[in-house]
């Protein structure tokens, strides 16, 4: 009986350790997801800004020869 009790205890310790590891990984994944969302938001803002600046440069007059030529 003692051998079985020891095996059960080891299995319970292993399960507890794995549950703790899963919880820690879940927390890390949630934190990383927040970072990804923040980066996505920044990328969207930068994309909008880039497109706005690109439109402004497209509206600039074409380069022509100066009048003194």
């Amino acid at each position: 009986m003692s051998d079985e009790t020891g095996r059960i205890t080891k299995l319970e310790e292993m399960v507890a350790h794995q549950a703790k590891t899963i919880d820690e990984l879940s927390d890390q994944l949630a934190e990383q997801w927040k970072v990804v969302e923040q980066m996505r938001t920044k990328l969207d803002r930068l994309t909008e800004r880039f497109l706005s600046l690109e439109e402004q440069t497209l509206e600039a007059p074409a380069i022509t020869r100066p009048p003194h030529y």
Side-chain angles (χ1 to χ4, degrees):
M1 222 27 158
S2 177
D3 187 40
E4 288 181 15
T5 304
R7 287 179 58 208
I8 290 173
T9 302
K10 286 182 182 180
L11 288 172
E12 288 174 341
E13 289 173 356
M14 189 183 312
V15 167
H17 177 70
Q18 289 176 348
K20 181 182 175 195
T21 301
I22 289 171
D23 287 342
E24 289 172 353
L25 290 172
S26 178
D27 292 343
Q28 289 178 357
L29 182 61
E31 286 298 316
Q32 288 179 353
W33 189 252
K34 288 178 187 177
V35 171
V36 167
E37 287 299 319
Q38 290 171 352
M39 291 175 70
R40 183 177 292 157
T41 302
K42 286 180 182 180
L43 178 62
D44 289 343
R45 278 189 267 146
L46 286 172
T47 301
E48 289 176 17
R49 186 173 176 194
F50 175 77
L51 291 174
S52 171
L53 290 172
E54 189 177 46
E55 287 176 3
Q56 290 175 4
T57 53
L58 290 177
E59 295 173 2
I63 299 174
T64 58
R65 292 178 58 175
H68 63 276
Y69 276 102

